[in-house]
Amino acid sequence: MNACISVLCAWSFLAAGPARFEAIDIEIEAPDDPLAAYQIELFDRSGRMQIAGVEGGDPAAFREPPYYDPRALRESRIVLAAFSTSEDLPRGRIRVARIHVMIEGDGEPEIESRLVVAATAGGREIRAKLIIVKGERV
Amino acid sequence: MRNDEPIEESAPEPELPESLARDLARLCGEAPPVPPSVDAAIALAARRRLAGIRVRRRALRWAGAAAAAAAALVFAVVLSRPRVQGDIDGNGRVDILDAFALAREIEARSDPRRDRDLNGDGAVDRADVDLIAMTAVNLDRGAFR
């Protein structure tokens, strides 16, 4: 039985072609107010991409990995969210998280993303822009 | 006699001379005749004014009743809306701002509200914040399902 599973796994891997790992940076640009909380959603429409891991971002306020559903690992969709009650909040263009993904085949994933919400200290929603930076091969 | 002097109670009431009293009675006793048309016009104006007051009163009463009914409806809708667990800011959805709100509440108060104990462990703490945040990022939610 185990041998059968191994053969099937090997066959599915070979059938899918080569796979590569990449890092995707999640950045939020909050030009007017310091960023205290965010929630984003990201999805690969092509089905080639699997999420393999999640890291925190650059500023101290978002250095810890954000909240995410563990089921997102090995899926092509993830919701990330984090907040900070620190008084030292970043502003401007901020790398808030990084996700590691496995991409099967030679094609590129078709990533769709949306900023669900961004807020400043006190929970007030702010104008912000989500930027997805693809490409760093690992 | 000056006006500011007290009147003695025992002082007799001054009486008018009889002829003057008769003349005054003749002058004031009979009202000048009012033509029926003037009488009718006055009555009509009075009726119209009273009718206007009645309409305004009725409108005010209806407006008050309508406002009370609207308030009761809003109250009923708010009460009957199913409360989403973890919806701290009460906007009908659970997102990271709810977790953020509870985290700030816990930091600010020494005794947070008991109904914030979402995991039922008897304490309102970071575990409740995490529970809300994990609800917010649950894959069963979101736009790209």
Side-chain angles (χ1 to χ4, degrees):
Chain A
M1 181 66 178
N2 284 344
C4 283
I5 292 171
S6 299
V7 168
L8 278 173
C9 285
W11 178 81
S12 64
F13 180 78
L14 289 171
R20 64 186 192 276
F21 287 87
E22 286 188 4
I24 296 176
D25 284 338
I26 313 297
E27 299 183 350
I28 290 177
E29 189 168 11
D32 305 323
D33 302 276
L35 183 71
Y38 72 88
Q39 181 169 330
I40 67 119
E41 185 173 1
L42 185 138
F43 170 62
D44 168 42
R45 194 166 287 285
S46 74
R48 293 189 188 97
M49 187 183 90
Q50 272 187 16
I51 292 149
V54 178
E55 273 182 36
D58 285 330
F62 296 106
R63 199 157 292 152
E64 291 293 311
Y67 290 99
Y68 65 94
D69 188 337
R71 289 181 298 159
L73 301 179
R74 303 180 63 81
E75 291 285 335
S76 56
R77 188 169 74 86
I78 191 165
V79 180
L80 299 175
F83 66 83
S84 171
T85 53
S86 158
E87 288 181 0
D88 182 23
L89 296 171
R91 63 167 72 217
R93 186 166 169 166
I94 310 145
R95 188 173 73 87
V96 292
R98 170 175 282 179
I99 60 171
H100 295 274
V101 298
M102 185 180 79
I103 301 165
E104 291 178 349
D106 294 325
E108 289 297 315
E110 297 163 25
I111 295 175
E112 287 188 22
S113 60
R114 73 181 184 110
L115 179 66
V116 179
V117 71
T120 192
R124 180 174 58 84
E125 287 191 38
I126 57 170
R127 186 172 66 89
K129 187 179 161 191
L130 173 63
I131 303 160
I132 303 295
V133 182
K134 290 192 291 180
E136 188 188 323
R137 289 204 176 204
V138 181
Chain B
M1 190 171 111
R2 279 168 40 202
N3 284 342
D4 54 351
E5 283 179 357
I7 300 168
E8 287 179 28
E9 283 184 11
S10 59
E13 193 72 27
E15 286 189 9
L16 290 173
E18 200 176 322
S19 58
L20 178 59
R22 200 172 45 243
D23 290 344
L24 282 173
R26 200 170 48 236
L27 275 175
C28 304
E30 287 181 24
V34 178
S37 60
V38 173
D39 210 10
I42 290 170
L44 184 65
R47 269 198 299 274
R48 279 183 183 156
R49 183 156 173 75
L50 283 173
I53 289 170
R54 269 198 297 271
V55 166
R56 273 198 297 277
R57 274 195 191 150
R58 204 175 300 146
L60 269 176
R61 222 173 284 146
W62 276 108
L73 187 66
V74 168
F75 194 63
V77 166
V78 168
L79 281 185
S80 65
R81 192 170 64 180
R83 181 86 180 163
V84 184
Q85 194 183 28
D87 180 16
I88 302 294
D89 58 18
N91 65 358
R93 65 173 197 269
V94 177
D95 57 27
I96 195 65
L97 296 192
D98 296 296
F100 186 33
L102 182 57
R104 284 184 284 117
E105 204 173 296
I106 289 169
E107 280 193 4
R109 291 189 194 188
S110 55
D111 185 23
R113 285 169 49 174
R114 290 288 102 193
D115 63 345
R116 305 298 202 216
D117 177 18
L118 301 172
N119 60 3
D121 66 353
V124 181
D125 54 18
R126 184 72 192 202
D128 299 296
V129 174
D130 291 344
L131 185 63
I132 297 173
M134 290 307 290
T135 305
V137 298
N138 191 304
L139 277 191
D140 297 332
R141 308 153 65 90
F144 297 136
R145 270 176 297 163

